[in-house]
Amino acid sequence: MFKKIILRVFAAVLFFSCITVQTKAQDLLRNYDLSSIKVDKISDADILKFKKQLDASGLTEQQAEQIAIAKGMPVTEVQKLRIRLQQLSTSGNISTGQNNANDTYRNNLRDTGFNQLYANDTANRKPLINPRIFGSELFNNPTLNFQPAISVATPLNYIIGPGDQLNISVYGVQEADIPVTVSPEGNIIIPNVGQLQVSGSTIENTTQKITSLMGRTAYTTLRTGASKISITVGQIKSISITVIGSNKPGNYTVPSLATAFNALFVAGGPSEFGSFRQIQLLRNNKVLKNIDLYRFLVNGDQSDNITLQNNDVIRIPSYKTKVIINGYVKRPGIFEMLPGETLQDLLAYSSGFSDSAYTSSVKIVQFTSKELSVKDVSAADFNNYKIQSGDSVIVSKVLNRFSNRITLTGAVYREGLYELTDGMTLRDLINKGDGFREDAFMQRAQVFRLKDNLSKEMFSFAPSDTMQQKSILLKREDSVVISSIFDLKDKYYVSVLGEVRNPGYFEYRDSLTLKDVILQAGGFTDAAFPQRIEVARLIRRDTLTSQDVRASMIIEVKNITDISATQNNVYLQPSDLITIKRKPGFVAFQSIIVSGELQYPGPYVLEKREERVSDIIKRAGGFTPEAYLNGAYIKRLNVSDETAQARQQVISNIQNQLNDSSNLVEESMQKQSDQIPLNITKILSAPGSPEDVVLMSGDELIVPKYNAQVRISGSVLFPTEIPYNEGYNLHDYISAAGGVAENGKKSKTYVVYANGSAASTRGFLFFKSKPDVKPGAEIIVPAKQEKQKISTAEFIGLASAIASLAGVVIAILHY
């Protein structure tokens, strides 16, 4: 990709470095001669100056190089410039030109990247030829390369001409390397040998002439065979050709190894009305070759790709017949047809029908002198129907239906689709399906049939009789369904609850016993009490009386300690529910965490079912000197499903009572944990009292350090935190925060203490009781609820209602 961009850049340099006026790249290609260009004199500033203009011209790198040669630039200069730019791309250094231009060029390479630059140019380039035309990809795709191979061995029968450089190499007893160039008169001059006419001779004849001449003069060892000679063409000559009828017609100078395809590619391919199949190559005013590109496109045949000679003319006439083929072919598009070619040839050019094509016939829409007409051509006439110009061939898709399908499903060994043959019966179909399965319901099966008017009907048959008696004839689209006995009855389960390793539901089977189900459930847990197992069974009754109040039948099974023994076992029935009880008093280990200012913080396993805070304090060794007892609390997780459901119900009730459409209540109550405040003084003085909280598994007892700070927050002028002062009351602390803000509601001020408890201002008549402030507390002044102003429409509605009410009152009084 980088090489391609370099070629685009060097072409710009070629065109623009030869002139001193500013013009477009297209003008240069038409009007200026590049025969005197010298690559060594091209500066990098020219590359940067004209690169963008060449990108806008829409030329590909191959076209740029060919046009440069066509405008007279020597092939040696082209090769030299390519080598220089390749060195520039690999080393990143610029051999000539200004340093500022060098830096700009390298920055462009780094910032944009050649790949993206070339991709954008390709994406924005308008196709030269309609992409639907077959063969357009040869000329629209810039990644294709029809550049002639210059650096190759000299081909056989190569005609020597003016401008060719011959490399004469003598080796053996005498050695010499002599480069010579054919003069415009067709001669070469060999030092110490003389002049020789070689123009118009093949490379083989030229080799014989040179060998003979040199052997008769200074290189006599060539005659004796003591020395050998090798002659190759180094720099090939340029030839002039003309292309007419193309997208870019004109005169081109190309290497003498260029072929017809090279010239067509440089000229942009046939024009809008140009032919792809009747291209003429004229030499000496005579048609030398009729070029049909379809031979190359369809078969890869390059017999038309002959080498060009000086003054050759490639003429692209207008097409005579073009047709369109659409639908279900592998390569739909626009194709050119030659006289005598048929619809079968067109299908071959389009690579034939696709897999789902309707191949029995095709439709052809064609022009008449007045209007359009449609023809249906059957497959038998494909080879005979002659295509007319403007025909539009449409290939349809096969119908989405089956001509001989029948279906067999249910309790047979091989379900699926089957072929309907003449005289096929139900017995034949069952045999194709390898017969009935053992669970087949043999008393009744069904056939679903499609009637002639596409409505459906169904009839039944007995599978047991079908295999013995004369069977029913089948029709197209019949669907035979054989039911299973398991489809005709419920699927039953038994369930196990309680102390087994895998409680749940288990499929019921005949002769299933209690011990079988316990085994399927993984056996008893350590907490199981197998001495008393209950089996609950549904009561199946025909009638219900008022005296029969039973909801289920309970069967008690005792002393099942060994599930491998045969005694004390019970046969189960469908839907039985087995309950394995827990041992009396069995409690799994429960633990809590003690953190903060206690002597031995850490995890503790509860010793008693009702272990209290005072018990844990003793086990933890009491408090440290820094403990703040008034701030102690319990953190209790809300993990119980029952607790979560009850909490959600409370939240719903509160929201309904408060008409709360927001989530404030839910957010405040739906917490991951609760904080339970503790009164350590009362707990230690009266262990076992209601203040001495019973601990639960997962609780965390937290005793913080003494905190002599008080925080004031909420609707105050300056929320802050100040040291605790025993002489301060609630009003003093609020004043220390700047007082209550304009939107603050002082009467609703409350205090949250360090242990999580809270107290608010209370009032009775003219007397108010303010809460005490303790170390570590937080004083919160809530904000007033914003009053919503009455809108004009609401005011008018309210006034109208009052007026109406006043009218009613006056009417009542007068009455």
Side-chain angles (χ1 to χ4, degrees):
M1 184 65 71
F2 189 71
K3 179 179 178 182
K4 294 178 181 179
I5 299 302
I6 289 175
L7 291 176
R8 296 177 63 82
V9 174
F10 97 84
V13 175
L14 297 179
F15 303 148
F16 288 92
S17 61
C18 296
I19 60 173
T20 57
V21 296
Q22 294 184 351
T23 184
K24 295 184 179 179
Q26 293 89 336
D27 295 335
L28 287 173
L29 300 180
R30 288 195 295 266
N31 301 327
Y32 289 90
D33 182 15
L34 301 177
S35 59
S36 60
I37 190 70
K38 298 297 181 184
V39 173
D40 295 334
K41 296 182 180 180
I42 298 175
S43 67
D44 298 316
D46 293 331
I47 298 177
L48 295 173
K49 183 177 180 181
F50 302 117
K51 178 171 68 67
K52 290 185 179 180
Q53 297 183 18
L54 182 66
D55 292 340
S57 70
L59 293 174
T60 66
E61 67 280 355
Q62 294 89 358
Q63 293 170 340
E65 185 172 348
Q66 292 294 333
I67 292 174
I69 297 175
K71 290 303 177 183
M73 183 176 181
V75 177
T76 54
E77 295 297 321
V78 173
Q79 295 173 341
K80 187 185 300 182
L81 184 57
R82 185 187 302 115
I83 294 172
R84 175 182 166 189
L85 292 174
Q86 288 174 347
Q87 293 173 347
L88 172 65
S89 66
T90 55
S91 64
N93 298 321
I94 301 177
S95 57
T96 61
Q98 296 87 353
N99 291 333
N100 291 339
N102 298 348
D103 294 339
T104 304
Y105 182 68
R106 285 193 291 267
N107 290 337
N108 288 340
L109 296 184
R110 182 180 63 251
D111 295 340
T112 62
F114 272 112
N115 292 337
Q116 182 178 358
L117 177 65
Y118 186 72
N120 292 339
D121 177 75
T122 303
N124 296 327
R125 182 173 176 267
K126 184 178 179 180
L128 295 172
I129 303 174
N130 183 355
R132 292 206 64 200
I133 296 177
F134 179 59
S136 62
E137 62 271 16
L138 291 179
F139 308 102
N140 289 339
N141 189 350
T143 61
L144 292 178
N145 186 0
F146 279 92
Q147 179 181 355
I150 298 175
S151 301
V152 296
T154 305
L156 296 175
N157 299 321
Y158 175 75
I159 305 298
I160 303 297
D164 282 339
Q165 178 183 318
L166 303 181
N167 295 324
I168 304 173
S169 178
V170 179
Y171 56 95
V173 174
Q174 291 180 288
E175 291 187 354
D177 289 317
I178 307 170
V180 294
T181 302
V182 181
S183 68
E185 293 77 19
N187 301 321
I188 60 172
I189 298 176
I190 305 174
N192 302 320
V193 174
Q195 180 174 285
L196 181 65
Q197 176 75 25
V198 295
S199 179
S201 300
T202 65
I203 185 66
E204 291 81 10
N205 292 335
T206 301
T207 301
Q208 292 177 1
K209 290 180 180 181
I210 294 174
T211 304
S212 176
L213 179 60
M214 294 179 68
R216 295 195 308 268
T217 54
Y219 299 88
T220 56
T221 55
L222 290 173
R223 287 186 298 171
T224 63
S227 297
K228 303 292 184 183
I229 190 171
S230 173
I231 300 176
T232 58
V233 178
Q235 175 185 324
I236 63 175
K237 64 181 179 292
S238 297
I239 61 174
S240 177
I241 65 168
T242 303
V243 182
I244 56 178
S246 64
N247 282 298
K248 298 179 181 179
N251 296 323
Y252 292 91
T253 301
V254 298
S256 57
L257 294 179
T259 65
F261 287 2
N262 301 144
L264 288 171
F265 181 75
V266 172
S271 63
E272 181 181 0
F273 299 102
S275 171
F276 277 71
R277 309 199 59 189
Q278 295 178 315
I279 302 172
Q280 296 176 340
L281 174 59
L282 289 83
R283 183 170 295 168
N284 299 324
N285 297 323
K286 295 181 180 180
V287 176
L288 177 69
K289 185 75 173 177
N290 286 315
I291 300 173
D292 185 353
L293 290 179
Y294 278 27
R295 280 196 284 265
F296 172 69
L297 292 168
V298 177
N299 303 316
D301 182 358
Q302 295 199 59
S303 59
D304 292 339
N305 191 25
I306 63 175
T307 304
L308 300 176
Q309 293 186 13
N310 195 38
N311 295 323
D312 279 354
V313 176
I314 296 178
R315 175 180 173 271
I316 305 176
S318 298
Y319 68 83
K320 291 184 174 60
T321 303
K322 267 190 180 179
V323 298
I324 301 174
I325 183 168
N326 290 316
Y328 290 86
V329 290
K330 294 176 182 175
R331 188 189 293 166
I334 302 173
F335 294 84
E336 181 180 349
M337 307 297 291
L338 295 178
E341 289 187 327
T342 64
L343 178 58
Q344 188 65 46
D345 297 319
L346 175 61
L347 292 172
Y349 294 147
S350 62
S351 298
F353 294 110
S354 64
D355 296 337
S356 58
Y358 176 63
T359 60
S360 295
S361 68
V362 298
K363 295 185 182 299
I364 299 180
V365 178
Q366 57 185 202
F367 295 98
T368 66
S369 58
K370 294 183 179 180
E371 56 191 1
L372 295 173
S373 66
V374 178
K375 283 190 176 182
D376 290 326
V377 180
S378 64
D381 296 328
F382 286 172
N383 274 322
N384 301 321
Y385 182 81
K386 299 295 182 7
I387 295 293
Q388 300 180 19
S389 186
D391 281 358
S392 179
V393 181
I394 303 171
V395 180
S396 303
K397 187 180 180 181
V398 296
L399 298 177
N400 187 20
R401 55 170 288 177
F402 290 87
S403 60
N404 60 342
R405 177 180 66 175
I406 53 176
T407 307
L408 176 62
T409 57
V412 292
Y413 283 103
R414 295 188 183 276
E415 300 180 81
L417 303 180
Y418 288 91
E419 175 190 5
L420 176 64
T421 57
D422 292 338
M424 189 173 182
T425 64
L426 271 173
R427 181 189 304 171
D428 299 330
L429 177 61
I430 300 299
N431 289 333
K432 280 191 173 183
D434 285 348
F436 300 111
R437 293 202 313 253
E438 290 81 356
D439 61 320
F441 183 66
M442 302 299 291
Q443 282 68 44
R444 181 176 290 272
Q446 296 169 324
V447 177
F448 297 90
R449 176 162 292 174
L450 193 66
K451 299 168 67 175
D452 293 339
N453 60 0
L454 299 184
S455 62
K456 293 183 179 180
E457 65 176 344
M458 186 271 291
F459 60 88
S460 302
F461 67 95
S464 57
D465 297 337
T466 299
M467 304 307 292
Q468 305 296 330
Q469 302 173 4
K470 186 176 180 180
S471 188
I472 302 171
L473 282 175
L474 295 176
K475 293 185 178 181
R476 185 181 70 86
E477 292 299 319
D478 277 357
S479 177
V480 181
V481 180
I482 310 297
S483 299
S484 168
I485 58 174
F486 299 111
D487 297 334
L488 306 177
K489 63 180 182 180
D490 291 336
K491 194 171 185 178
Y492 295 109
Y493 295 88
V494 296
S495 55
V496 182
L497 304 178
E499 297 300 325
V500 289
R501 290 184 176 84
N502 300 303
Y505 291 90
F506 301 89
E507 186 177 353
Y508 173 80
R509 295 178 176 84
D510 291 339
S511 303
L512 183 68
T513 66
L514 175 60
K515 291 185 178 182
D516 294 331
V517 174
I518 294 173
L519 181 63
Q520 293 180 42
F524 299 116
T525 65
D526 292 338
F529 185 63
Q531 282 74 18
R532 294 183 61 183
I533 298 176
E534 290 185 350
V535 178
R537 181 165 296 168
L538 292 176
I539 299 176
R540 293 174 173 83
R541 50 169 76 89
D542 296 330
T543 58
L544 180 63
T545 62
S546 58
Q547 291 79 15
D548 189 356
V549 295
R550 295 174 301 165
S552 64
M553 180 187 301
I554 303 299
I555 302 172
E556 188 175 272
V557 184
K558 298 182 178 180
N559 298 325
I560 300 185
T561 56
D562 184 6
I563 59 175
S564 62
T566 57
Q567 61 270 21
N568 293 340
N569 206 357
V570 175
Y571 284 101
L572 300 178
Q573 294 185 8
S575 303
D576 279 357
L577 175 62
I578 303 158
T579 305
I580 311 297
K581 300 178 181 179
R582 177 175 292 195
K583 293 177 181 177
F586 182 89
V587 179
F589 289 126
Q590 296 179 330
S591 63
I592 65 167
I593 297 175
V594 174
S595 60
E597 300 304 314
L598 287 105
Q599 296 291 344
Y600 306 107
Y604 285 82
V605 176
L606 297 180
E607 183 180 4
K608 297 178 290 187
R609 290 196 298 271
E610 290 190 357
E611 190 149 7
R612 299 176 179 269
V613 174
S614 59
D615 300 324
I616 292 297
I617 293 175
K618 291 179 183 178
R619 293 172 60 186
F623 305 104
T624 65
E626 294 82 11
Y628 182 46
L629 302 185
N630 289 335
Y633 64 92
I634 293 174
K635 181 180 178 182
R636 179 163 292 173
L637 300 178
N638 295 323
V639 296
S640 172
D641 292 339
E642 294 80 3
T643 303
Q645 293 176 1
R647 183 181 297 272
Q648 187 62 44
Q649 184 62 41
V650 172
I651 293 172
S652 300
N653 293 337
I654 294 176
Q655 287 180 324
N656 292 334
Q657 294 175 10
L658 298 179
N659 293 325
D660 177 34
S661 59
S662 66
N663 294 326
L664 296 178
V665 174
E666 186 173 3
E667 290 176 357
S668 63
M669 297 190 65
Q670 241 182 9
K671 299 182 296 183
Q672 296 296 323
S673 61
D674 291 328
Q675 184 173 333
I676 303 175
L678 298 175
N679 190 333
I680 298 297
T681 303
K682 291 185 178 180
I683 289 174
L684 296 180
S685 61
S689 64
E691 297 286 345
D692 195 2
V693 178
V694 175
L695 297 172
M696 298 176 59
S697 179
D699 284 354
E700 182 178 2
L701 173 60
I702 301 174
V703 181
K705 280 187 177 182
Y706 178 76
N707 182 12
Q709 300 292 321
V710 175
R711 181 172 181 80
I712 305 97
S713 61
S715 295
V716 293
L717 293 179
F718 185 70
T720 185
E721 187 172 307
I722 63 175
Y724 172 74
N725 191 327
E726 191 174 353
Y728 276 17
N729 58 21
L730 182 64
H731 177 74
D732 296 330
Y733 284 107
I734 295 175
S735 298
V740 178
E742 183 178 356
N743 65 336
K745 197 170 185 179
K746 186 176 180 181
S747 61
K748 296 297 183 179
T749 301
Y750 60 95
V751 179
V752 178
Y753 297 105
N755 64 354
S757 60
S760 60
T761 302
R762 298 180 180 180
F764 178 73
L765 297 180
F766 301 103
F767 302 99
K768 290 186 178 180
S769 174
K770 297 181 180 179
D772 296 331
V773 180
K774 296 180 181 180
E778 180 178 5
I779 301 171
I780 301 174
V781 180
K784 296 178 181 177
Q785 187 176 3
E786 294 185 4
K787 295 182 179 180
Q788 188 175 2
K789 296 182 179 180
I790 300 177
S791 64
T792 304
E794 292 174 337
F795 180 79
I796 294 174
L798 181 62
S800 299
I802 294 175
S804 300
L805 181 61
V808 172
V809 172
I810 293 173
I812 293 174
L813 293 176
H814 280 286
Y815 181 77

